[in-house]
């Protein structure tokens, strides 16, 4: 395999930079010896290469995971908890290097990358605590001679497919509960950002995770084939996917013949609603945090910002002032607040949404243009007023640094506009009226609602959506159940009188 490594910075531990897949506790190449290149989105310079795994390679990893499952499922829960805890500690001990790798391949600023590492590690910590507390129930039977109890068992081999926008957190949020439940996994790393997950694989090795329990595979061109291998294999009992709705629908169809357990976190188009009675400063800060985190490349970022007419102009002015203060540049740059988009398709979609809004009467009051002097994938953080529901941004997830401000008059009007999207992942609302908060939160067709906050991600909180945003929940006390099956045991012939009575 041709191996390239172009360091633009120093890692304290260069052995965290791996360019091979991790299968059965060993670093391996593709059988074909094919590789794909990974480039820095800020500079388009080569970072390195990874194996272009094919179906045969993945099927081998699946078989390895199945072999490991036979013994790993019997591992005491507290032993699995200790493994996760050690993996968590290794992440924290190597947090700076992990953040550098994230910034290098994803482009997000170092401050954001460091925040992601802490967030990602927290899922190992959380599920290390959940592992020994995932208990069954004793249930009162209808018939006096019966006794009923339930057992929670690991579902089996799990196929995990993760996206590039959070290359550490999306991996740990799936692997954490899988390991806690006693499952083994084959994790497909995103082709745009594979090196973060491979660094996590190196730390798993150091943490003493048994061979075959966690397996990391990479591909770019063969990504559809890898997805098909995971979804159609009768050995894989569970698939968890984070990504677009269209791909999720395809994976669901492919999984139908083997009737797998599924959890999908798919596309979003989050409404962010600001009422006249809101704390304006708080609402503006919340909108900034929600909309522009990772340059708008998050599934729960505010995509449609609805502001009630009474405060619309003032909100727009304060919001625009904060956006103008951003510093855009490469993620390693000093004081940089926002980095590049991930690739040319991303910047093309962002530009198209801005041009469409302008054409249909929207007014760009901040930004609105590409930034070719910085690099091919940089786009100015943008604010557009006068948005209407016939614009592309109203119905499509932008996944970029564009904030469109929509005016509204009544609760009914804004809820109808918010619920008009076919997806329903997250929503946000700002108000001081408790009754209104309950009314609107209950009426919104989403899986998560942030009230007077723009940040809702927390390992303790159930994460997931409704409608075309998917199903299943990650994180929280419910997350582990996605990787378990419940078995009911009914004992008959019970309740006899004591012998000798």
């Amino acid at each position: 395999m041709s191996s390239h490594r172009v360091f633009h910075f120093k890692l304290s531990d260069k052995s965290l930079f791996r360019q091979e897949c991790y299968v059965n506790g060993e670093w391996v190449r593709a059988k074909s010896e094919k590789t794909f290149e990974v480039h820095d989105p800020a500079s388009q310079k080569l970072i390195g290469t990874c194996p272009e795994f094919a179906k045969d390679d993945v099927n081998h990893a699946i078989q390895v995971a199945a072999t490991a499952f036979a013994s790993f499922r019997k591992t005491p829960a507290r032993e699995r908890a200790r493994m996760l805890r050690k993996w968590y500690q290794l992440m924290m001990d190597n947090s700076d290097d992990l953040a550098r790798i994230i910034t290098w391949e994803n482009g997000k600023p170092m401050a954001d990358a460091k925040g992601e590492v802490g967030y990602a590690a927290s899922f190992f910590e959380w599920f290390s605590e959940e592992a020994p507390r995932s208990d069954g129930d004793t249930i009162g039977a209808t018939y006096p001679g019966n006794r009923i109890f339930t057992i929670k068992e690991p579902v089996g081999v799990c196929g995990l497919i993760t996206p590039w926008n959070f290359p550490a957190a999306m991996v740990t949020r799936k692997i954490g509960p899988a390991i806690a439940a006693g499952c083994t996994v084959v994790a497909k790393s995103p082709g745009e950002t594979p090196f973060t997950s491979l660094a996590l694989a190196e730390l798993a090795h150091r943490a003493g995770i048994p061979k075959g329990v966690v397996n990391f595979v990479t591909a770019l061109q063969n990504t559809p084939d890898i997805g098909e291998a995971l979804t159609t294999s009768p050995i894989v009992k569970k698939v968890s996917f984070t990504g677009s709705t269209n791909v999720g629908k395809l994976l669901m169809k492919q999984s139908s013949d083997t009737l797998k357990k599924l959890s999908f976190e798919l596309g979003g188009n989050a409404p962010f609603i600001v009422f006249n009675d809101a704390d304006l400063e708080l609402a503006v800060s919340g909108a900034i945090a929600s909309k522009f985190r990772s340059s708008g490349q998050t599934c729960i970022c505010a995509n449609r910002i609805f502001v009630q007419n009474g405060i619309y102009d003032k909100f727009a002015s304060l919001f625009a002032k904060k956006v103008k203060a951003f510093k855009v540049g490469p993620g390693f740059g000093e004081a940089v607040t926002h980095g590049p988009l991930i690739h040319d398709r991303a910047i093309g979609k962002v530009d198209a949404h801005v041009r469409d809004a302008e054409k249909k009467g929207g007014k760009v009051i901040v930004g609105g243009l590409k930034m070719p002097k910085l690099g091919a994938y940089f786009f100015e953080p943008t604010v557009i007023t006068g948005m209407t529901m016939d614009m592309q941004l109203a119905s499509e997830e932008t996944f970029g640094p564009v904030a469109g401000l929509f005016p509204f008059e009544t609760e009914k009007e804004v809820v109808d506009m918010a619920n008009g999207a076919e997806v329903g992942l997250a929503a946000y609302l700002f108000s001081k009226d408790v009754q209104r908060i309950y009314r609107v939160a209950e009426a919104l067709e989403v899986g998560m609602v942030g009230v007077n906050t723009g940040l809702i991600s927390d390992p303790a909180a159930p994460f997931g959506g409704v409608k075309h945003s998917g199903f299943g929940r990650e994180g929280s006390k419910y997350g582990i159940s996605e990787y378990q099956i419940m078995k009911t045991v009914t004992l008959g012939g019970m309740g006899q009188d004591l012998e000798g009575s």
Side-chain angles (χ1 to χ4, degrees):
M1 180 182 72
S2 177
S3 179
H4 303 273
R5 182 182 306 191
V6 186
F7 282 109
H8 303 294
F9 57 88
K10 290 184 178 180
L11 292 175
S12 299
D13 182 355
K14 291 186 178 181
S15 66
L16 288 175
F17 184 78
R18 308 297 310 214
Q19 298 185 85
E20 295 174 307
C21 292
Y22 185 73
V23 177
N24 202 28
E26 299 176 347
W27 295 100
V28 299
R29 304 173 182 178
K31 292 177 182 178
S32 66
E33 294 290 330
K34 291 182 179 179
T35 63
F36 63 92
E37 294 184 346
V38 181
H39 295 86
D40 176 356
S43 66
Q44 286 78 63
K45 292 181 179 179
L46 178 69
I47 295 175
T49 62
C50 282
E52 185 71 68
F53 260 35
K55 280 188 176 181
D56 286 349
D57 299 297
V58 175
N59 286 333
H60 172 65
I62 291 170
Q63 188 59 60
V64 162
T67 300
F69 178 66
S71 57
F72 188 68
R73 65 177 301 169
K74 301 174 185 176
T75 306
R78 289 203 175 274
E79 185 175 342
R80 299 195 299 271
R82 285 191 288 270
M83 292 178 191
L84 286 171
R85 183 71 192 189
K86 188 170 183 180
W87 201 354
Y88 158 79
Q89 192 57 55
L90 285 167
M91 284 190 69
M92 298 308 296
D93 292 345
N94 293 274
S95 59
D96 285 346
D97 277 348
L98 291 174
R100 292 184 185 106
I101 293 172
I102 291 172
T103 292
W104 195 13
E105 63 180 352
N106 171 277
K108 65 180 62 177
M110 273 294 289
D112 285 359
K114 288 180 179 179
E116 181 184 345
V117 173
Y119 178 56
S122 71
F123 286 104
F124 286 159
E125 181 182 39
W126 176 267
F127 285 108
S128 74
E129 297 162 348
E130 288 294 300
R133 294 176 175 81
S134 183
D135 302 319
D137 295 308
T138 301
I139 301 169
T142 302
Y143 304 104
N146 287 353
R147 301 291 183 267
I148 302 172
F149 63 91
T150 64
I151 301 171
K152 292 183 179 179
E153 298 180 337
V155 67
V157 176
C158 302
L160 312 178
I161 306 174
T162 58
W164 50 262
N165 58 335
F166 287 91
M170 297 300 96
V171 173
T172 59
R173 194 161 71 182
K174 298 181 188 299
I175 289 184
I179 299 301
C183 298
T184 57
V185 306
V186 177
K188 162 62 175 70
S189 305
E192 298 89 347
T193 58
F195 295 118
T196 301
S197 58
L198 295 178
L200 294 178
E202 171 63 25
L203 296 181
H205 190 83
R206 297 180 192 180
I209 308 295
K211 289 184 177 181
V213 172
V214 292
N215 305 277
F216 287 82
V217 303
T218 64
L220 185 62
Q221 183 179 351
N222 292 341
T223 293
D225 293 339
I226 305 310
E228 186 176 15
L230 293 172
T231 52
T232 59
S233 170
I235 298 173
V236 176
K237 304 301 182 183
K238 154 82 180 186
V239 169
S240 178
F241 169 70
T242 297
S244 73
T245 296
N246 287 339
V247 173
K249 290 178 180 179
L250 174 62
L251 296 176
M252 190 171 181
K253 289 179 181 178
Q254 293 173 346
S255 300
S256 63
D257 284 346
T258 51
L259 289 176
K260 299 187 189 308
K261 190 177 178 74
L262 301 173
S263 54
F264 287 167
E265 191 260 284
L266 307 177
N269 189 349
F272 189 103
I273 304 170
V274 185
F275 288 99
N276 286 337
D277 67 334
D279 180 323
L280 196 57
E281 291 286 349
L282 183 65
V284 168
S285 296
I288 292 291
S290 177
K291 172 67 256 182
F292 290 104
R293 183 184 181 197
S294 296
S295 295
Q297 298 176 114
T298 81
C299 54
I300 58 171
C301 74
N303 199 61
R304 299 166 294 161
I305 301 177
F306 297 103
V307 185
Q308 202 162 16
N309 286 333
I311 58 169
Y312 184 91
D313 291 340
K314 191 171 183 180
F315 179 95
S317 176
L318 292 173
F319 187 73
K321 183 179 180 180
K322 285 186 176 290
V323 173
K324 288 177 182 177
F326 292 167
K327 181 178 179 180
V328 180
F332 290 111
E334 186 176 351
V336 165
T337 59
H338 295 80
L341 300 182
I342 191 65
H343 46 48
D344 55 353
R345 297 188 305 279
I347 199 163
K349 185 176 186 180
V350 167
D351 188 58
H353 277 195
V354 174
R355 304 286 80 81
D356 174 76
E358 282 186 315
K359 181 180 177 182
K360 294 174 180 175
K363 181 181 179 182
V364 176
I365 61 173
V366 179
L369 299 172
K370 297 177 182 179
M371 306 176 76
K373 290 184 179 180
L374 282 178
Y377 302 155
F378 288 90
F379 199 93
E380 293 177 334
T382 300
V383 180
I384 308 175
T385 58
M387 296 292 294
T388 56
M389 295 303 290
D390 63 333
M391 297 174 182
Q392 287 180 345
L393 190 147
S395 58
E396 298 177 11
E397 185 178 27
T398 305
F399 230 65
V402 180
L405 308 186
F406 296 75
F408 74 92
E409 186 63 40
T410 68
E411 288 180 14
K412 178 68 165 57
E413 177 191 9
V414 75
V415 168
D416 285 348
M417 289 192 292
N419 289 342
E422 66 177 9
V423 293
L425 188 58
Y428 306 85
L429 69 95
F430 281 70
S431 172
K432 296 177 183 177
D433 185 330
V434 174
Q435 291 179 325
R436 167 178 280 161
I437 287 169
Y438 268 87
R439 282 196 305 271
V440 176
E442 291 173 356
L444 290 168
E445 297 173 353
V446 294
M448 300 171 285
V449 180
V451 178
N452 293 329
T453 179
L455 299 174
I456 59 174
S457 296
D458 187 319
F463 191 103
V466 297
K467 301 199 297 189
H468 288 207
S469 289
F471 43 81
R473 292 296 180 266
E474 295 186 316
S476 80
K477 66 179 182 179
Y478 304 106
I480 194 171
S481 66
E482 300 288 343
Y483 297 86
Q484 294 173 319
I485 55 175
M486 180 183 293
K487 179 180 290 182
T488 302
V489 179
T490 302
L491 302 178
M494 310 298 289
Q496 306 97 328
D497 292 338
L498 291 171
E499 292 183 359
S501 61

